[in-house]
């Protein structure tokens, strides 16, 4: 089954987002299919991060409808939000690692929160840390890691729960080319297995290196949507 | 609440990282339990003292001088028929004087110089075990006073009444202090948890973003609250026991003739206090978490 034939996992209908009176997004309508690789690009302040935040409900749209897996997000109660978020693996621009927890604990928390057994957690976390190349740092705390190592830990946390959708905000922004390649290869591996991958990035190199759909935003408006 | 090794570890880590805050909570609970425990200890011992005094309570019924033996006997039998009465003993004036002489040997000379016996014949009325409340005694005395053959009824009304009031007051004080300290401690624990929650606001937001539900987020805080309550309560009771031990060792030398031996709080009461202090810890968490998670 080709991507275009599959049922859209994300549907946005005329989304608007305003912060007080400042428009951040205007009239955005996008369908994203299961297993797609999407790059959201545009200059700073274009609304890339805001668009991602709407997806995992860190923000709510001022107007318009947003559906994930057929569920209208406006109908999700705060108490049920965690179920939506378990569909996502999120790589934040500022990593958002918990400083009082070790790298291992930061990654394991996703599985602990969903009630996995300790043995499974130990095995999965060790494997994913090995894949991103920071297994030897597992007992260290995030403040003692370099930016690149923190980014890898953030990626490991995002993919550990084998989510339906991975959202990445500048996932290679603080990485050297070699580390960036390791991370992108890992993300592509998940994408090839059917995970939808939505990446917000400035990097035109990253977009060129991958064959994916490119959504370009400018001043909160959709200016280009190229397959 | 999910109690597992991971949540337990998260709780202990937080206690380790915020030692001062947690020490304040622990000490507050400990001191509150010490104060409440002191009142409970006083009330329980005073209650026992009252029970011990009550067991010796008898009502003395003084009879008219000029009544016949059969009338005296009839009065005795009628009083014995009251449901609150266990037994009635007749004490003649002579026997009464003899007993008095034996009880007050130093004043023997005064008694021997008496030309006439001032003591009337009397009846000693012993009450049933469960009928020794001041109200029951007062009612019985009122009923006996109505007898034609009776001149006076005596039962130590003054001291029993006063002592019962003291006991009731100390029990009321223990309950009131308990309630006040319960609320104060819940408030302090709730504030400690609130401070901990605000200091970890970002961490909690991250947990929510990676799919943690409220139960997962709350669990370590509940574990902390229960630990605070339990250890604070146990600490307070231990301190109370040490103080009791020191106090009772000294008092036994000074008041070795006390009617009853001062006892520590019963095991059942200790468990109840420990349960309440644990509940305080849990409740403090519950209040703060409910408010905090609603606002984040």
């Amino acid at each position: 089954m080709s991507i275009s034939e599959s049922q859209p996992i994300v549907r946005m209908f005329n989304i608007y987002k305003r912060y007080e009176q400042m428009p951040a997004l205007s009239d955005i309508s996008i369908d994203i299919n299961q297993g797609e690789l999407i790059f959201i690009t545009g200059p700073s302040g274009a609304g890339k991060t805001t668009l991602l935040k709407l997806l995992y409900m860190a923000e709510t749209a001022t107007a318009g409808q947003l559906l994930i897996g057929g569920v209208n997000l406006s109908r999700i109660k705060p108490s049920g939000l965690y179920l939506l978020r378990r569909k996502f693996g999120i790589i934040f621009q500022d990593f958002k690692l918990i400083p009082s927890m070790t790298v291992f604990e930061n990654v394991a928390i996703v599985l602990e929160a969903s009630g996995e057994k300790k043995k499974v957690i130990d095995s999965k976390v060790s494997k994913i840390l090995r894949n991103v190349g920071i297994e030897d740092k597992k007992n260290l705390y995030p403040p003692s890691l370099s930016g690149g190592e923190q980014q890898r830990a953030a990626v490991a946390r995002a993919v550990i729960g084998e989510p339906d959708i991975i959202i990445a905000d500048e996932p290679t922004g603080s990485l050297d080319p070699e580390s960036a390649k390791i991370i992108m290869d890992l993300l592509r591996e998940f994408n090839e297995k059917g995970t939808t991958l939505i990446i917000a990035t400035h990097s035109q190199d990253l977009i060129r290196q991958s064959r994916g759909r490119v959504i370009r935003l400018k001043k909160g408006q959709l200016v280009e949507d190229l397959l | 609440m999910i109690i597992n090794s991971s949540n337990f570890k998260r709780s202990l880590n937080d206690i380790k990282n915020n030692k001062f805050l947690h020490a304040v909570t622990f000490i507050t609970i400990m001191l509150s339990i010490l104060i409440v425990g002191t009142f409970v200890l006083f009330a329980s011992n005073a209650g026992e003292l009252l029970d011990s005094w009550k067991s010796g309570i008898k009502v003395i019924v003084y009879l008219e001088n000029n009544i016949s033996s059969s009338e005296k006997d009839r009065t005795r039998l009628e009083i014995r028929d009251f449901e609150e009465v266990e037994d009635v003993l007749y004490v003649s004036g002579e026997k009464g004087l003899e007993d008095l002489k034996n009880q007050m040997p130093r004043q023997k000379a005064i008694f021997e110089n008496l030309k006439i016996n001032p003591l009337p014949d009397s009846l000693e009325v012993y009450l049933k075990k469960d009928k020794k409340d001041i109200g029951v005694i007062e009612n019985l005395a009122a009923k006996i006073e109505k007898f034609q053959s009776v001149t006076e009824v005596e039962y130590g009304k003054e001291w029993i009444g006063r002592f019962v009031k003291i006991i009731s007051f100390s029990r009321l004080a223990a309950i009131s202090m308990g309630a006040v300290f319960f609320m104060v401690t819940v408030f302090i624990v709730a504030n400690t948890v609130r401070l901990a929650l605000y200091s970890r606001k970002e961490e909690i937001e991250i947990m929510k973003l990676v799919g943690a539900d409220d139960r997962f987020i709350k669990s370590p805080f509940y574990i902390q609250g229960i630990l605070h309550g339990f250890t604070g309560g146990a600490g307070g009771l231990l301190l109370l026991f040490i103080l009791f031990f020191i106090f009772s060792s000294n008092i036994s030398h000074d008041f070795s003739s006390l009617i009853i031996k001062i006892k520590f709080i019963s095991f059942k009461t200790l468990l109840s206090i420990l349960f309440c202090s644990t509940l305080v810890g849990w409740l403090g968490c519950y209040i703060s978490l409910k408010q905090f998670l609603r606002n984040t």
Side-chain angles (χ1 to χ4, degrees), chain A residues 8-175:
Chain A
I9 191 167
V10 177
R11 306 201 77 177
M12 291 185 180
F13 299 101
N14 311 105
I15 293 288
Y16 288 82
K17 177 66 187 173
R18 285 191 192 88
Y19 291 107
E20 293 176 357
Q21 290 308 310
M22 290 288 288
L25 291 172
S26 298
D27 198 21
I28 306 288
S29 295
I30 306 168
D31 277 355
I32 298 172
N33 294 314
Q34 178 72 50
E36 263 194 293
L37 168 57
I38 309 253
F39 290 101
I40 298 172
T41 190
S44 296
K48 304 185 292 293
T49 301
T50 303
L51 188 70
L52 297 186
K53 282 182 174 177
L54 291 179
L55 290 174
Y56 56 83
M57 281 189 82
E59 301 280 357
T60 49
T62 311
Q65 301 293 316
L66 175 52
L67 280 72
I68 307 277
V71 177
N72 192 327
L73 297 196
S74 63
R75 291 190 187 153
I76 292 181
K77 289 179 185 168
S79 59
L81 199 54
Y82 73 95
L83 290 171
L84 171 84
R85 289 191 176 145
R86 284 183 190 173
K87 290 179 189 289
F88 293 105
I90 310 165
I91 303 162
F92 301 96
Q93 198 169 9
D94 57 352
F95 319 133
K96 289 203 188 300
L97 296 170
I98 297 170
S100 59
M101 289 182 176
T102 63
V103 168
F104 186 95
E105 288 165 344
N106 263 286
V107 178
I109 201 161
V110 176
L111 300 178
E112 284 172 359
S114 55
E116 278 288 5
K117 286 187 177 142
K118 193 180 178 297
K119 207 174 164 184
V120 178
I121 295 172
D122 288 349
S123 148
K124 281 191 174 180
V125 174
S126 296
K127 189 181 168 195
I128 204 76
L129 289 179
R130 198 162 47 244
N131 286 350
V132 296
I134 52 166
E135 202 192 8
D136 56 330
K137 314 276 181 189
K138 68 177 183 182
N139 293 322
L140 297 181
Y141 290 88
S144 64
L145 301 180
S146 69
E149 286 164 340
Q150 288 189 48
Q151 183 77 300
R152 291 179 195 206
V155 170
R157 184 182 62 189
V159 299
I160 189 88
E162 296 173 12
D164 293 338
I165 305 169
I166 294 174
I167 293 175
D169 199 354
E170 301 288 358
T172 57
S174 53
L175 299 179

Side-chain angles (χ1 to χ4, degrees), chain B residues 17-179:
Chain B
N17 295 335
N18 297 289
K19 285 188 197 98
F20 180 73
L21 202 61
H22 292 287
V24 168
T25 313
F26 171 79
I27 291 168
T28 307
I29 295 177
M30 190 176 77
L31 292 179
S32 302
I33 292 298
L34 178 67
I35 295 167
V36 173
T38 306
F39 274 89
V40 172
L41 186 64
F42 177 73
S44 68
N45 276 292
E48 244 183 67
L49 187 61
L50 181 68
D51 287 343
S52 151
W53 283 4
K54 272 182 180 176
S55 67
I57 286 176
K58 58 186 175 190
V59 176
I60 310 288
V61 179
Y62 294 104
L63 302 170
E64 291 282 0
N65 279 329
N66 50 359
I67 57 169
S68 65
S69 302
S70 60
E71 205 170 341
K72 285 173 190 170
D73 210 36
R74 202 179 64 235
T75 308
R76 186 176 72 81
L77 291 173
E78 279 181 25
I79 292 173
R80 205 180 62 181
D81 282 347
F82 288 131
E83 59 161 341
E84 50 272 68
V85 175
E86 177 77 41
D87 199 10
V88 182
L89 286 183
Y90 172 74
V91 180
S92 65
E94 291 73 33
K95 172 83 169 52
L97 187 63
E98 200 58 40
D99 289 347
L100 201 59
K101 280 178 189 172
N102 292 335
Q103 281 169 19
M104 304 170 80
R106 286 182 186 177
Q107 281 77 29
K108 210 171 180 177
I110 301 168
F111 294 123
E112 276 168 2
N113 289 333
L114 288 171
K115 288 181 179 147
I116 52 160
N117 181 1
L119 296 180
D121 295 336
S122 62
L123 298 171
E124 283 182 0
V125 181
Y126 294 91
L127 301 164
K128 284 181 182 161
K129 262 190 179 174
D130 56 336
K131 303 285 182 188
K132 287 181 177 174
D133 286 330
I134 184 72
V136 176
I137 299 169
E138 274 175 351
N139 278 341
L140 178 70
K143 281 192 280 184
I144 297 172
E145 272 171 351
K146 286 178 187 160
F147 282 77
Q148 296 268 318
S149 54
V150 171
T151 55
E152 198 185 340
V153 179
E154 195 185 283
Y155 56 93
K157 185 180 176 179
E158 283 290 303
W159 71 261
I160 292 178
R162 270 187 209 159
F163 198 71
V164 167
K165 271 183 195 165
I166 291 168
I167 300 293
S168 306
F169 178 76
S170 67
R171 277 188 184 148
L172 188 71
I175 293 166
S176 311
M177 293 296 277

